[in-house]
């Protein structure tokens, strides 16, 4: 790699540090050139947790991202950020952990925007801990919105001028969301011509770069049976279909709106058989994420589309219920690292 890749610590009370330690311990080739933005003591606790009688990974403090490129395998480089008096208790909400998790994301985003790193992979943070952290971090419901704010500020743009979308992907299915972390009532109101068309344009541009060809995009309806010709709601007729027509007029390969209870099955790739579509645009968070997560959290990757940087994340949360038990699976984090390398052409 010509540039290193940052992995943010996530919430220190959750499974983020554990899956990071497991990734570096068990997959040294996949983690080469990566470093962690976070806290030395927390990562050292995590390496002891996952060692299971073996010699723990060496945890090395680095001062600059470039130092990560020269370290040997099975060494976990950490860029110390902020200061925790001690690692927080596993599975407990902590304002200090929320603050550190947010600071790591902001630092990594700014480093990526400066061009100091190839990409960032974000370990899970806890939204309640983020709220406990207070200003300026408490105003953001998650990673996507924090990164959007950093990118917009860097470019001197408003948030409206820096639209972003969340894509969840695994080997079988890709889903892009019109709205992200908002209440369901507000998500229905967010199904507008502008938002749907914007989502289609961002999806087309991003997947065209990933696939190297025009992507086939399906659009899920909002209502049961995609509205059944207006019997179950008119959003498909008045909003979604006109946005699809406009996207087609701009040269996009878009189909729909389709009944949301079947379109994901049509898009799913199985074995050697590709799906009918390269991605599905879903109208709101749970409509799109439930089918992806049902296929398995192990290989799911969250990708932020529309940013002038590469950001991926595991497709799961902080899992406070198993934090500290050694049970956490690093597969989704490793998938996120592989995806980040692919998107940044860093491998």
């Amino acid at each position: 790699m010509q540039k290193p890749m940052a992995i943010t610590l996530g919430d220190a009370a959750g499974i983020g540090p554990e899956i990071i330690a497991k990734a570096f311990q068990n997959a040294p080739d996949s983690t080469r050139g990566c470093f962690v933005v976070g806290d030395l003591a927390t990562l050292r606790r995590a390496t002891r947790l996952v060692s299971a009688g073996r010699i723990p990974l060496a945890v090395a403090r680095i001062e600059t991202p470039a130092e990560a490129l020269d370290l040997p395998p099975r060494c976990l480089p950490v860029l110390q950020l902020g200061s925790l008096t001690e690692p927080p208790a596993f599975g407990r909400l902590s304002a200090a952990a929320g603050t550190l998790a947010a600071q790591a994301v902001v630092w990594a985003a700014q480093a990526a925007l400066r061009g100091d790193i190839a990409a960032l992979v974000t370990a899970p943070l806890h939204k309640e801990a983020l709220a406990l952290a207070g200003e300026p971090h408490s105003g953001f419901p998650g990673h996507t919105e924090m990164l959007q704010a950093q990118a917009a500020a860097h470019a001197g743009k408003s948030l409206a001028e820096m639209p972003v979308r969340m894509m969840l992907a695994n080997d079988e299915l890709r889903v892009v969301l019109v709205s992200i972390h908002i209440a369901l009532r507000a998500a229905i109101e967010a199904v507008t011509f502008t938002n749907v068309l914007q989502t289609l344009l961002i999806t087309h541009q991003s997947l065209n770069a990933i696939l190297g060809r025009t992507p086939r995009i399906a659009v899920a309806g909002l209502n049961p049976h995609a509205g059944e010709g207006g019997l179950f709601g008119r959003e498909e007729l008045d909003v979604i279909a006109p946005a699809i027509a406009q996207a087609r007029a701009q040269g996009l390969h878009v189909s729909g709106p389709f009944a949301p209870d079947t379109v994901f099955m049509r898009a799913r790739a199985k074995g050697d058989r590709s799906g009918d579509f390269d991605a599905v645009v879903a109208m709101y968070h749970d409509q799109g994420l439930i089918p992806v997560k049902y296929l398995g959290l192990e290989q799911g990757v969250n990708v932020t589309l529309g940013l002038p940087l590469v950001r991926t994340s595991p497709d799961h949360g902080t899992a406070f219920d198993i934090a500290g038990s050694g049970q956490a699976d690093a597969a989704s984090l490793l998938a996120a690292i592989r995806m980040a390398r692919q998107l940044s052409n860093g491998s």
Side-chain angles (χ1 to χ4, degrees), residues 48-218:
R48 292 193 297 270
L49 175 68
V50 305
S51 293
R54 294 178 291 175
I55 298 174
L57 283 170
V59 178
R61 179 168 183 164
I62 60 173
E63 302 299 329
T64 65
E67 293 175 51
L69 298 175
D70 299 324
L71 293 176
R74 294 186 53 76
C75 179
L76 201 167
V78 180
L79 193 147
Q80 178 70 36
L81 198 68
S83 178
L84 290 174
T85 304
E86 60 182 359
F90 288 117
R92 300 279 184 87
L93 283 172
S94 161
T99 298
L100 180 60
Q103 289 174 337
V105 174
V106 170
W107 186 96
Q110 292 177 351
L113 291 165
R114 290 193 304 267
D116 295 342
I117 59 175
L120 63 147
V121 178
T122 57
L125 54 73
H126 199 291
K127 294 175 177 58
E128 290 185 61
L130 199 63
L132 288 175
E135 297 293 341
H137 310 304
S138 58
F140 300 103
H143 282 113
T144 304
E145 296 83 359
M146 292 176 67
L147 294 168
Q148 179 190 25
Q150 290 298 316
H154 181 81
K157 296 181 177 181
S158 67
L159 293 179
E161 294 173 307
M162 183 68 67
V164 298
R165 294 295 187 272
M166 177 190 290
M167 179 174 77
L168 269 290
N170 56 32
D171 291 339
E172 299 179 74
L173 186 63
R174 300 183 188 93
V175 175
V176 183
L177 308 177
V178 171
S179 62
I180 309 175
H181 299 119
I182 57 177
L184 181 57
R185 192 179 302 278
I188 294 171
E189 296 299 322
V191 180
T192 65
F193 174 88
T194 298
N195 286 344
V196 174
L197 178 59
Q198 196 172 68
T199 306
L200 292 172
L201 294 172
I202 291 172
T203 302
H204 169 83
Q205 182 179 23
S206 301
L207 286 183
N208 187 65
I210 294 171
L211 301 174
R213 58 172 173 80
T214 300
R216 303 162 299 155
I217 303 170

Side-chain angles (χ1 to χ4, degrees), residues 189-263:
E189 296 299 322
V191 180
T192 65
F193 174 88
T194 298
N195 286 344
V196 174
L197 178 59
Q198 196 172 68
T199 306
L200 292 172
L201 294 172
I202 291 172
T203 302
H204 169 83
Q205 182 179 23
S206 301
L207 286 183
N208 187 65
I210 294 171
L211 301 174
R213 58 172 173 80
T214 300
R216 303 162 299 155
I217 303 170
V219 181
L222 172 67
N223 298 297
H225 303 182
E228 198 73 76
L231 292 175
F232 303 150
R234 293 195 56 84
E235 285 85 359
E236 286 77 11
L237 296 175
D238 297 341
V239 176
I240 301 173
I244 291 172
Q246 181 60 39
R248 287 174 178 161
Q250 295 185 37
L252 277 66
H253 191 328
V254 184
S255 304
F258 296 110
D261 59 355
T262 57
V263 66

Side-chain angles (χ1 to χ4, degrees), residues 250-297:
Q250 295 185 37
L252 277 66
H253 191 328
V254 184
S255 304
F258 296 110
D261 59 355
T262 57
V263 66
F264 300 101
M265 292 184 284
R266 292 183 57 189
R268 181 186 179 189
K270 297 180 67 175
D272 295 333
R273 184 185 68 79
S274 62
D276 294 342
F277 309 105
D278 297 304
V280 178
V281 167
M283 291 299 112
Y284 57 92
H285 185 278
D286 285 10
Q287 183 191 57
L289 266 58
I290 287 172
V292 178
K293 292 189 175 186
Y294 180 77
L295 292 175
L297 295 175

